[in-house]
Amino acid sequence: GESVGLHLPTLSVQEGDNSIINCAYSNSASDYFIWYKQESGKGPQFIIDIRSNMDKRQGQRVTVLLNKTVKHLSLQIAATQPGDSAVYFCAGSTGGGNKLTFGTGTQLKVEL
Amino acid sequence: GAVVSQHPSRVICKSGTSVKIECRSLDFQATTMFWYRQFPKKSLMLMATSNEGSKATYEQGVEKDKFLINHASLTLSTLTVTSAHPEDSSFYICSARASRQGNTGELFFGEGSRLTVL
């Protein structure tokens, strides 16, 4: 089955710095990954996704990198802002994304 | 953008009663919806896949008679926690993807429903 985990439970960064949140997965058949942001008491919010035929995808201030060789993906947030403070989850699936397995989450704290 | 709405957002009930949580896709049709459970400071755990017009598919370890799922229309799925107990207290979240997008496209999540069983 799929196992998705995150390296660090908490990440503290200074406002304006770049943030990097890492995620490892176990199933080499995983072909679709998503990063979500979850603020306290709310549902997950889609940030960015990437398919296994890509190794990088960029959005607004965010970049996801996928390394299939070591089964690792990361989320990079440029110029981190206080509003970025939240828990970030990676999620992976096989077969295109219908059934997602979520990682344990990383709490991002942005210090002023 | 697409919106998924859950109701109620918070509910408190007595042990032994049943609670129904609704998940609606507001501006798109969803053949499939997903129900997750999340404990404090934990990740989302998929409970079941709700299929419009057919039985839900439950994940291993999830009691189908305990967590009744009904997907009566393309815009509404309901989760009923039957004979609730304090250990059922949790944050329940649904998600849906527009039917026209098949297995691709963005999954939209509801804001979640926090259940507290006294």
Side-chain angles (χ1 to χ4, degrees), chain B residues 6-15 17-22 35 79-81 84-86 88-92 112-118:
Chain B
Q6 282 186 241
H7 177 81
S9 58
R10 291 178 181 270
V11 57
I12 301 173
C13 70
K14 293 182 179 180
S15 186
T17 61
S18 295
V19 174
K20 180 185 286 187
I21 300 170
E22 294 184 345
W35 285 97
L79 168 69
T80 301
V81 183
H85 289 94
D88 298 325
S89 298
S90 191
F91 196 47
Y92 293 89
S113 299
R114 184 165 300 284
L115 170 64
T116 302
V117 184
L118 303 177

Side-chain angles (χ1 to χ4, degrees), chain A residues 58-77:
Chain A
Q58 290 185 291
Q60 188 176 13
R61 279 202 308 120
V62 295
T63 301
V64 55
L65 299 177
L66 175 62
N67 185 331
K68 294 181 289 293
T69 302
V70 295
K71 297 198 280 289
H72 179 273
L73 70 159
S74 66
L75 176 69
Q76 300 179 5
I77 304 173

Side-chain angles (χ1 to χ4, degrees), chain A residues 67-108:
Chain A
N67 185 331
K68 294 181 289 293
T69 302
V70 295
K71 297 198 280 289
H72 179 273
L73 70 159
S74 66
L75 176 69
Q76 300 179 5
I77 304 173
T80 312
Q81 302 168 359
D84 295 327
S85 294
V87 176
Y88 289 80
F89 292 97
C90 63
S93 77
T94 58
N98 224 8
K99 183 174 172 180
L100 292 172
T101 299
F102 280 78
T104 52
T106 292
Q107 173 79 55
L108 176 64

Side-chain angles (χ1 to χ4, degrees), chain A residues 22-44:
Chain A
N22 296 301
C23 184
Y25 62 97
S26 61
N27 189 348
S28 56
S30 297
D31 58 7
Y32 181 62
F33 303 90
I34 308 177
W35 280 99
Y36 288 98
K37 171 186 180 182
Q38 186 178 29
E39 297 175 350
S40 181
K42 296 185 177 181

